[in-house]
């Protein structure tokens, strides 16, 4: 079996530099979409409770796109353009166009639609980047590769998050007429789109992917047998499929019985849809016609290794906390640190720009921690314990919002969140990549990221109902949920055996 050559420092740079641009796009989205929604709805008194529903497009898009792109990228070879790079490039072009159009949104629903387009485009580029590290690096460089990738994610997020505030410092108008998006946000989205496209083009131009023949030589006896996936799928019963359908029906019944927010119907519908899809996939596999994208996705999802299942649970709770933070931080800082919830006021726009600074802070901390603190801790106490400590730092950061009201002091909160963010972006992937068959790394990374998306979808559909029922007009309580679920994620991490269990 031929070994992959080790990559130099420049090689590691080139492999991950495109993620710098992708994360600029995600940072602009995460830090500004709630602001855009509130700005476009100055006269809607219920806009805070509607924010999770407006965000629902983003996780739903990822849920559908990531496994499909992962599956397709495992099977793509376009000559000189390669295996993963066609997806980098396609997603980057679409995302850059979306970033240009987004701040021109004339109304709330148009902005929500553009969020769907933007998130789909970013996911097309992002998903293959995770597998790209595994493709290009020998196993002993996986931890280093994902640390470098995390550093670029953090750096890109700093740039994306700080754009509007930097433009305000440069004299660009940060206020606009009621219902209009300020110039600081518009220009930030346009510059960010250009930066995203250029960064991805850098990776496309400066890297050469290994051909299918070379990949087969690297894998040797460790290559994945895709026929096993379909054989095992054909041997499955319909019990789990029926359980998914029943679970979805229960969700629908609860939503109807207790008159919860209608967006929760989407969650029940997705559970039922997966149950039905798995029945179809099993029947096709039994009939000898299961070697389709549906068969492989369902088969690989149901046959995940135990290590991946345990890490998936950690991801579920970790990303629940993150999505709560992204949706609600602007409203929290505006109301509790700037004394306003009026999306058209100058104070609200100042608060929103300060949130950009806070988000830039935690991403900057993440970039530094990924290259310094986390590698040292991982060598000293192992990746699993390192991840648990990182997540507890995040839980402490969220909890501190209850006692800190000064906007400046909230930077201290972001330090803990930044350490957690670095660990979330690096440790699970470093643990996972070395334990998976490289020939199926794209689909497995896509399925693993389902557990990044499902909690976001759950938060988007459930959190609004919780806040409206028990904490109306008090968004600070969302940080209590974030702190609690991040602590649960830390506890779940300790069940993971990085040797494979």
């Amino acid at each position: 079996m031929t070994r992959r050559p080790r990559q130099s420092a420049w090689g590691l740079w080139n492999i991950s530099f495109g993620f710098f641009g992708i994360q600029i796009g995600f940072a602009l989205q995460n830090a500004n979409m709630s602001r855009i929604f509130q700005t476009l709805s100055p006269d809607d008194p219920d806009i805070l409770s509607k924010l999770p529903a407006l965000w629902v497009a983003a996780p739903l898009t990822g849920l559908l796109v990531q496994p499909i792109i992962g599956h397709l990228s495992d099977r793509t070879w376009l000559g000189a353009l390669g295996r993963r790079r066609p997806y980098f490039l396609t997603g980057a072009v679409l995302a850059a166009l979306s970033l240009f159009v987004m701040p021109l949104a004339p109304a709330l629903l148009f902005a929500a639609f553009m969020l769907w387009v933007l998130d789909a485009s970013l996911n097309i580029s992002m998903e293959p980047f995770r597998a790209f590290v595994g493709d290009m690096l020998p196993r002993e460089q996986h931890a280093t590769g994902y640390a470098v990738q995390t550093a670029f994610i953090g750096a890109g997020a700093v740039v994306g998050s700080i754009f509007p505030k930097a433009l305000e410092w440069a004299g660009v108008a940060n206020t606009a007429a009621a219902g209009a998006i300020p110039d600081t946000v518009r220009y930030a989205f346009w510059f960010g789109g250009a930066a995203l496209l250029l960064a991805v083009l850098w990776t496309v131009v400066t890297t050469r992917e290994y051909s299918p023949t070379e990949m087969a030589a690297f894998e040797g006896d460790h290559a994945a047998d895709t026929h096993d996936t379909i054989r095992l799928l054909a041997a499955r019963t319909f019990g789990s499929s029926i359980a998914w359908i029943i679970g979805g029906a229960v969700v629908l019944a609860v939503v109807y019985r207790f008159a919860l927010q209608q967006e929760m119907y989407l969650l029940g519908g997705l559970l039922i849809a997966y149950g039905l899809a798995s029945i179809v996939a099993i029947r096709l596999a039994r009939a000898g016609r299961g070697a389709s994208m549906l068969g492989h996705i369902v088969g690989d999802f149901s046959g995940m290794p135990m290590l991946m299942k345990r890490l998936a649970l950690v991801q579920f709770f970790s990303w629940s906390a993150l999505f709560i933070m992204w949706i609600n931080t602007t409203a929290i800082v505006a109301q509790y640190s700037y004394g306003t919830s009026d999306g058209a006021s100058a104070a609200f726009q100042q608060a929103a720009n300060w949130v950009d600074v806070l988000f830039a802070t935690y991403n900057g901390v993440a970039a530094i921690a990924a290259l310094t603190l986390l590698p040292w801790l991982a060598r000293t106490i192992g990746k699993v314990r390192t991840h648990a400590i990182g997540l507890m730092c995040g839980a402490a950061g969220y909890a501190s919002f209850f006692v800190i009201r000064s906007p400046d002091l909230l930077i201290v909160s972001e330090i803990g969140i930044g350490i957690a963010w670095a660990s979330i972006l690096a440790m699970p992937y470093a643990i996972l990549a070395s334990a998976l068959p490289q020939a199926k790394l794209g689909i497995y990374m896509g399925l693993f990221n389902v557990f990044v998306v499902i909690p976001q979808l759950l938060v988007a559909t459930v959190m609004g109902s919780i806040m409206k029922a028990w904490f109306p007009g008090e968004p600070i309580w969302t940080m209590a949920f974030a702190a609690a679920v991040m602590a649960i994620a830390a506890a779940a991490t300790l069940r993971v055996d990085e040797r494979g269990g």
Side-chain angles (χ1 to χ4, degrees):
M1 180 176 67
T2 306
R3 288 177 55 82
R4 284 176 176 77
R6 290 180 62 86
Q7 292 285 338
S8 66
W10 274 115
L12 293 172
W13 174 288
N14 293 335
I15 287 168
S16 290
F17 186 72
F19 223 131
F20 171 77
I22 293 170
Q23 198 60 34
I24 289 176
F26 272 119
L28 286 167
Q29 170 185 297
N30 292 340
N32 292 283
M33 285 313 303
S34 288
R35 172 187 192 172
I36 289 173
F37 291 149
Q38 288 181 263
T39 299
L40 291 173
S41 307
D43 299 321
D44 187 348
D46 294 325
I47 187 62
L48 287 179
S49 63
K50 293 177 180 177
L51 286 179
L54 292 167
W55 272 87
V56 76
L60 177 60
T61 302
L63 183 66
L64 299 175
V65 168
Q66 289 178 356
I68 292 172
I69 295 300
H71 172 85
L72 293 175
S73 70
D74 280 341
R75 291 159 173 77
T76 295
W77 183 255
L78 295 182
L81 198 53
R83 184 187 193 192
R84 314 289 184 188
R85 291 180 298 166
Y87 299 93
F88 302 166
L89 189 57
T90 300
V93 171
L94 294 174
L97 291 173
S98 301
L99 286 167
F100 180 82
V101 173
M102 175 69 77
L104 301 176
L108 184 64
L109 289 180
F110 185 86
F113 171 75
M114 287 310 304
L115 173 60
W116 176 79
V117 177
L118 174 60
D119 204 78
S121 305
L122 291 171
N123 274 289
I124 290 170
S125 281
M126 181 195 75
E127 173 49 43
F129 259 105
R130 295 293 192 192
F132 193 48
V133 172
D135 290 346
M136 301 297 292
L137 302 181
R139 292 179 186 272
E140 63 270 17
Q141 276 195 302
H142 282 169
T144 302
Y146 285 110
V148 171
Q149 190 176 87
T150 297
F152 276 123
I153 291 171
V158 169
V159 173
S161 298
I162 204 68
F163 250 137
K165 187 65 176 179
L167 290 171
E168 183 188 8
W169 289 331
V172 177
N174 189 49
T175 57
I181 297 171
D183 286 347
T184 51
V185 177
R186 292 195 298 122
Y187 295 160
F189 272 61
W190 295 342
F191 291 146
L196 184 158
L197 185 58
L198 290 173
V200 172
L201 283 173
W202 178 281
T203 290
V204 170
V205 170
T206 61
T207 57
R208 182 191 73 84
E209 295 189 68
Y210 297 118
S211 70
T213 302
E214 290 172 309
M215 292 292 290
F218 292 146
E219 291 309 307
D221 294 336
H222 297 284
D225 186 351
T226 57
H227 296 293
D228 281 349
T229 298
I230 304 304
R231 179 178 55 80
L232 293 172
L233 178 63
R236 293 183 64 86
T237 67
F238 295 117
S240 61
S241 304
I242 294 172
W244 284 104
I245 294 171
I246 293 173
V250 169
V251 171
L252 296 181
V254 170
V255 174
Y256 178 78
R257 171 64 180 81
F258 295 101
L260 302 179
Q261 288 191 228
Q262 292 186 352
E263 292 80 13
M264 289 185 64
Y265 283 117
L266 179 61
L267 179 62
L270 286 171
L271 296 176
I272 292 172
Y274 177 76
L276 294 173
S278 65
I279 289 175
V280 172
I282 292 170
R283 290 181 65 88
L284 288 174
R286 290 178 178 179
R289 295 184 288 120
S292 62
M293 181 167 62
L294 177 63
H296 282 287
I297 290 175
V298 172
D300 288 327
F301 183 78
S302 60
M304 287 188 299
M306 181 56 67
L307 173 69
M308 188 171 169
K309 290 179 181 178
R310 291 182 175 177
L311 278 172
L313 183 65
V314 177
Q315 291 289 84
F316 176 87
F317 288 113
S318 303
W319 283 85
S320 295
L322 290 170
F323 202 59
I324 290 171
M325 174 188 71
W326 290 329
I327 291 176
N328 295 288
T329 299
T330 297
I332 292 169
V333 173
Q335 182 169 329
Y336 296 94
S337 297
Y338 285 80
T340 183
S341 56
D342 179 4
S345 68
F348 180 88
Q349 299 301 335
Q350 290 175 352
N353 272 8
W354 187 247
V355 171
D356 290 339
V357 174
L358 294 178
F359 280 20
T361 300
Y362 87 71
N363 281 291
V365 170
I368 296 169
L371 295 178
T372 56
L373 176 63
L374 295 185
W376 174 77
L377 274 178
R379 289 193 301 270
T380 305
I381 62 175
K383 299 183 186 74
V384 167
R385 291 187 179 88
T386 296
H387 194 38
I389 291 173
L391 295 177
M392 286 306 300
C393 288
Y398 293 136
S400 68
F401 272 75
F402 278 86
V403 296
I404 296 176
R405 291 291 183 265
S406 165
D408 294 336
L409 289 180
L410 285 174
I411 287 177
V412 177
S413 306
E414 300 301 320
I415 293 173
I417 295 170
I419 294 172
W421 180 228
S423 190
I424 289 167
L425 291 175
M427 288 299 112
Y429 296 99
I431 294 169
L432 194 62
S434 297
L436 295 176
Q438 298 296 300
K440 298 176 70 173
L441 197 55
I443 181 61
Y444 272 131
M445 287 296 183
L447 292 172
F448 189 58
N449 281 334
V450 165
F451 295 95
V452 169
V453 173
I454 289 177
Q456 297 179 48
L457 183 61
L458 190 63
V459 168
T461 54
V462 173
M463 186 56 65
S465 295
I466 293 174
M467 294 304 297
K468 189 173 183 178
W470 287 296
F471 307 105
E474 295 291 340
I476 189 67
W477 287 100
T478 60
M479 283 298 178
F481 287 97
V485 296
M486 190 68 92
I488 293 171
T493 303
L494 299 177
R495 298 181 63 247
V496 176
D497 184 348
E498 60 191 86
R499 294 168 299 181

